[in-house]
Structure formats: C-alpha cells, structure tokens
Amino acid sequence: MTGKLIVMEGGEGGGKTTQLHYLHRWLCQLPAVQSLQAEGQITDIVVTREPGGTLTGQRIRQLLLDTSPEEPLSDRSELLLYAADRAQHVDHWLKPRLAAGAWILCDRYSASTVAYQGYGRELDLALIDQLNQIATGGLVSDLTLWLDVPVEVGLGRAQARGESDRMEQASLAFHHRVRQGFSQVFAQATYPVEQIDAMSDEMTVAQHIQAAMLRWLSQWYPTHFSS
Ligand code: Z5A
C-alpha cells in the first residue's frame, strides 16, 4: 500500500465528522502536500466513513441506525453487520485506493467495534478481535486520531442536533463503557494513535489535530515536511 489511512475515532459528539472535513480542507491547501501530488506521490485525498462507505454499506448503515425496526437487532447481528460493512469497505474502497496512492480520511474503523460492541454491548472481546481480523484483512491505520471528550459533553452536543439514532439512545452507562473501551484499545494498540482533547472549541481542536498531523507527516515525508 503506498497511500495512507488516517482514521478518526471516539465516542458520540467528539466532533469527528466536523474535524475530518476541516482536516481534509487543510491538507489539500498545504504547499508540501500539493508538491507531493504534483510529483505523483499522492493520487488523491478522500473522505469516507464506517458504517456506510460503500453502496452496500449504505444499506447496512440504514439497518444499523434504524430507530424503529420491524424487529430489534440482536447484539450479535449488530456486530456481524458492522463486520460486513467493514469487509466490503476494505475490499472495494479502501485497499484499491490505498494501492493507487490515495490518502484516506476515515470516520471510524475497527476500534469502534471493540469499544461499542465489545465494551458497550459487552460481547466477547476475543471474538471481536477475530472478526476485525477477517473484516480488515489485516489493514491497519497509519494514524488514528482519537477525539476524546467526556461522555456527558459529547452526548449533549449530539442531542443538541435534534434527532438521535439507536446508539445515541443507549444508556449513559453504555457510553461510559464505550469511552473506557477506546481508552483500553488504544493503550494496547500496535499502530500509531494520537489522543486529541476534543473539549475545546472547533478551531482549537482543529489546531491540535494539525499539530499531530505535522509530526507524522514529517516522519513519513521528511524531505517535504521539516520537523
Ligand atoms: N458504530 C459501532 O457501534 N460499531 C462500529 O464498528 C462502527 C460504528 C464503525 C455511527 O453513527 C454509529 O455507529 C456510532 C457508533 C456506531 N454511534 N452512534 N450514534 P454516525 O456515523 O451517525 O455517528 P457518529 O460517528 O457517532 O457521529 P456523531 O454523533 O455525529 O459524532 P461526531 O462525528 O463525533 O461529531 P460531529 O457530527 O462532528 O459533531 C456533533 C455535534 O457537535 C455537531 O452539532 C457539531 O456542530 C458539534 N461540535 C463538533 N465539535 C464541537 C466542538 N469542538 N465544540 C462544540 N460543538 C462541537
């Protein structure tokens, strides 16, 4: 793989989606990134998400976030649907673009399954590890940005938007377990993770993310980014 997979993770209302778009715009405007593109070292900088990064994934996403299904999803079927969404995303979207040299900014990836289904729903963590292996086919992120915010703050932001989905309607205890799950999974991660304090205003959080990105860009492309 010659591209880079950069993942945004975290609980509800941490600002992942907001920050992913700021990051995309900022990267596209950086002169060093533009020269990497001109030299053909980067083909494209694209944004995607899980669940729902593919056409099949969009259908799976509707099933997963439906608040009034004809019958409730069981926790195990929910887990398998997230895994199916990821397998399709990895095979048909992420791997081909990474192989062609794209930088991909992805809203959620495998750590979300550990945090939500493993810690939140309390499903077997070893089984989730196995499923993540199958779904990712071994593809890990080059950098994960963990937007961390206290549960009450994040839920407050998400609820202020109005309508809520199945996950947002889960109990406070569930969301506390999810945050603990992210903290556990990232403490043991074998791939690079930057914890970002997402409590501040949007622009301050964006600056923290840019500072973290620049540290990694100068490692990946030392001739284009001085540290
Ligand atoms: N899920 C899972 O269970 N297992 C898995 O394996 C995967 C996912 C991959 C996806 O829903 C759901 O799937 C998710 C986990 C589960 N649970 N839920 N719900 P989604 O994609 O619709 O939702 P999300 O990923 O949780 O996104 P979100 O709730 O929209 O949160 P966010 O992306 O982190 O935040 P945002 O949309 O950028 O901002 C939320 C609001 O806060 C918005 O009004 C912003 O204007 C505001 N905001 C953002 N930043 C700030 C700051 N800094 N200050 C103040 N206000 C802010």
Side-chain angles (χ1 to χ4, degrees), residues 42 90 140 148:
I42 308 171
V90 166
V140 289
D148 187 37

Side-chain angles (χ1 to χ4, degrees), residues 9-19 49-51 61 64-65 78 82-83 85-86 107-114 116-117 121 132 147 154 157-158 160-161 165-168 174-175 198-203 205:
E9 286 278 22
E12 253 60 43
K16 297 177 305 304
T17 313
T18 307
Q19 294 298 334
R49 68 173 175 184
E50 289 191 1
R61 182 183 171 91
L64 280 165
L65 301 184
E78 177 186 89
Y82 279 113
D85 169 75
R86 180 158 307 126
D107 198 340
R108 297 194 180 279
Y109 194 54
S110 50
S112 278
T113 315
V114 183
Y116 281 85
Q117 281 64 54
R121 301 280 191 229
N132 264 339
L147 267 62
R157 287 179 187 168
R161 278 183 313 204
D165 60 34
R166 275 180 64 243
M167 281 301 179
E168 282 162 9
F174 171 90
H175 289 286
M199 270 289 277
S200 322
D201 60 274
E202 287 178 15
M203 286 307 148
V205 177

